[in-house]
Amino acid sequence: DWNMGTFIEKEVARIREFVGPTARVLGAISGGVDSSVAAKLMHQAIGDRFHAVMVDNGVLRAGEAKQVDEMLNKHLGVNVTIVDASDLFLSRLEGVEDPEQKRKIIGNTFINVFEAQAAKLEKQAEEEEAEAKRLGSQHQPKGKYEFLLQGTLYPDVIESISFKGPSATIKTHHNVGGLLADMKLKLIEPLRELFKDEVRELGKLLGIPAHLVGRHPFPGPGLAIRILGPVTRSQVAILQAADSIYIEEIRKGGFYDQISQAFAVLLPVRAVGVQGDKRTYDQVIALRAAQTTDFMTATWFNFPHDFLSNLSNRITNEVTGINRVVMDISSKPPATIEVS
Ligand code: XMP
């Protein structure tokens, strides 16, 4: 009989057998539900022979890298190295407006940074292994990195089968597994038979707090595809500030779990405003809130007027550079959930 408790037991046993007594496992962490749950499961199976890497690409939400560090490293005891590569990402994104180009640059840069970090960890692992051998038998040696953990879910498996043809590519979804296929690591995908709701249940059983387990999805290319036009540090800072207020208010209002994905978007237009006794010529924030079960089609969430009114006041008062807030009320199709 199928339940998540027996799933953990079976999967932990399967991972231990697959990885063997000494090999190490590497993983990429996004801060999302899937990779966090996969990481915690891996940690449960092989402890500190699992090492996760989180790449700060400069287009994460406010405080994201720090939050992941707190949660996984400090709270859940998973080995995570946060690599701040924001300068590299942002310099490669400089002047780029085309969203597909942004996605490709971010995907490729991610690979470069991840591979460099993997090489560092591998070198460290070799040194540790040599040291353990030198010290003798009481020091259990840990082996080399032979595996790569992926938080692939069942729907991802299906989607990558049905969206093979280039004609079906609506947007380049950057899937770490596909991009890292050349690395000489064997893939481990412990969640590949699960649906999202099952992963959330699993996460709770593994001791991951409900607010993390229930998080909305966040795209790999991050805020770069929510900033229309060129991505700069100051644009990122504006969007991060507006997005934080939006999500904070949604949580406070009790709407978070009724919405599948909510986020702010920075539009590439300026409009005239008046703030205090000054004329402003500032930017516009668009708010998106999608309700969907499968992310293939979606409708927009209807917030109460009072909620929107307070939100708009907060954003325009607290975020320098914004003098208007608009609501995106388009469904998918014809729109997509992300804006670019
Ligand atoms: P769209 O915008 O295509 O999004 O309606 C459907 C879901 O996929 C997410 N999404 C992405 N996720 N890399 C990702 O990891 C991407 O490039 C990407 N593009 C869209 C989107 O956030 C939504 O959840």
Side-chain angles (χ1 to χ4, degrees), residues 100 103 159 170-175 216-222 225-226 260-261 263 288 292 294-298 332 335-340:
E100 273 303 279
R103 285 167 193 266
E159 199 169 297
I170 297 170
K171 288 171 194 165
T172 325
H173 276 229
H174 101 247
N175 175 307
H216 295 169
F218 184 71
I225 55 172
R226 297 174 182 175
S260 312
Q261 195 173 3
F263 53 88
R288 184 115 176 97
T292 176
D294 58 5
F295 291 87
M296 304 293 282
T297 63
K332 173 182 179 176
T336 50
I337 293 173
E338 299 292 349
V339 291
S340 70

Side-chain angles (χ1 to χ4, degrees), residues 199-269:
V199 173
R200 294 195 155 126
E201 201 190 320
L202 179 59
K204 281 185 206 151
L205 283 177
L206 289 167
I208 302 178
H211 74 267
L212 204 163
V213 158
R215 266 184 131 186
H216 295 169
F218 184 71
L223 301 182
I225 55 172
R226 297 174 182 175
I227 293 170
L228 298 183
V231 178
T232 60
R233 274 205 189 267
S234 64
Q235 293 289 73
V236 171
I238 289 174
L239 183 54
Q240 281 177 334
D243 190 73
S244 299
I245 294 170
Y246 185 34
I247 300 302
E248 184 189 317
E249 288 295 328
I250 285 177
R251 287 212 187 261
K252 232 199 273 172
F255 302 118
Y256 194 86
D257 293 334
Q258 296 169 54
I259 298 167
S260 312
Q261 195 173 3
F263 53 88
V265 173
L266 188 55
L267 300 182
V269 288

Side-chain angles (χ1 to χ4, degrees), residues 80-270:
V80 183
T81 301
I82 315 259
V83 184
D84 180 359
S86 54
D87 284 337
L88 179 64
F89 279 89
L90 292 175
S91 70
R92 289 190 185 172
L93 284 169
E94 205 178 305
V96 177
E97 291 188 31
D98 175 49
E100 273 303 279
Q101 201 55 35
K102 289 179 185 173
R103 285 167 193 266
K104 286 200 182 108
I105 290 169
I106 291 170
N108 292 333
T109 307
F110 179 86
I111 303 289
N112 300 152
V113 172
F114 188 79
E115 280 181 346
Q117 187 61 35
K120 258 193 214 169
L121 288 170
E122 236 165 59
K123 196 160 166 257
Q124 228 173 57
E126 275 165 23
E127 285 166 11
E128 280 173 31
E129 216 189 341
E131 179 69 2
K133 278 209 186 105
R134 201 181 60 79
L135 290 173
S137 56
Q138 72 274 33
H139 291 264
Q140 167 82 33
K142 286 185 239 159
K144 296 189 170 45
Y145 285 98
E146 291 177 26
F147 300 90
L148 180 72
L149 174 70
Q150 277 286 137
T152 317
L153 307 193
Y154 188 64
D156 307 331
V157 177
I158 297 302
E159 199 169 297
S160 62
I161 294 165
S162 55
F163 284 117
K164 277 236 169 87
S167 59
T169 309
I170 297 170
K171 288 171 194 165
T172 325
H173 276 229
H174 101 247
N175 175 307
V176 179
L179 293 173
L180 295 177
D182 311 340
M183 291 181 72
K184 285 172 197 66
L185 299 170
K186 283 168 250 162
L187 275 189
I188 306 188
E189 297 176 310
L191 311 180
R192 64 176 292 126
E193 280 161 23
L194 305 183
F195 285 95
K196 196 83 174 186
D197 53 332
E198 294 174 316
V199 173
R200 294 195 155 126
E201 201 190 320
L202 179 59
K204 281 185 206 151
L205 283 177
L206 289 167
I208 302 178
H211 74 267
L212 204 163
V213 158
R215 266 184 131 186
H216 295 169
F218 184 71
L223 301 182
I225 55 172
R226 297 174 182 175
I227 293 170
L228 298 183
V231 178
T232 60
R233 274 205 189 267
S234 64
Q235 293 289 73
V236 171
I238 289 174
L239 183 54
Q240 281 177 334
D243 190 73
S244 299
I245 294 170
Y246 185 34
I247 300 302
E248 184 189 317
E249 288 295 328
I250 285 177
R251 287 212 187 261
K252 232 199 273 172
F255 302 118
Y256 194 86
D257 293 334
Q258 296 169 54
I259 298 167
S260 312
Q261 195 173 3
F263 53 88
V265 173
L266 188 55
L267 300 182
V269 288
R270 280 171 185 272

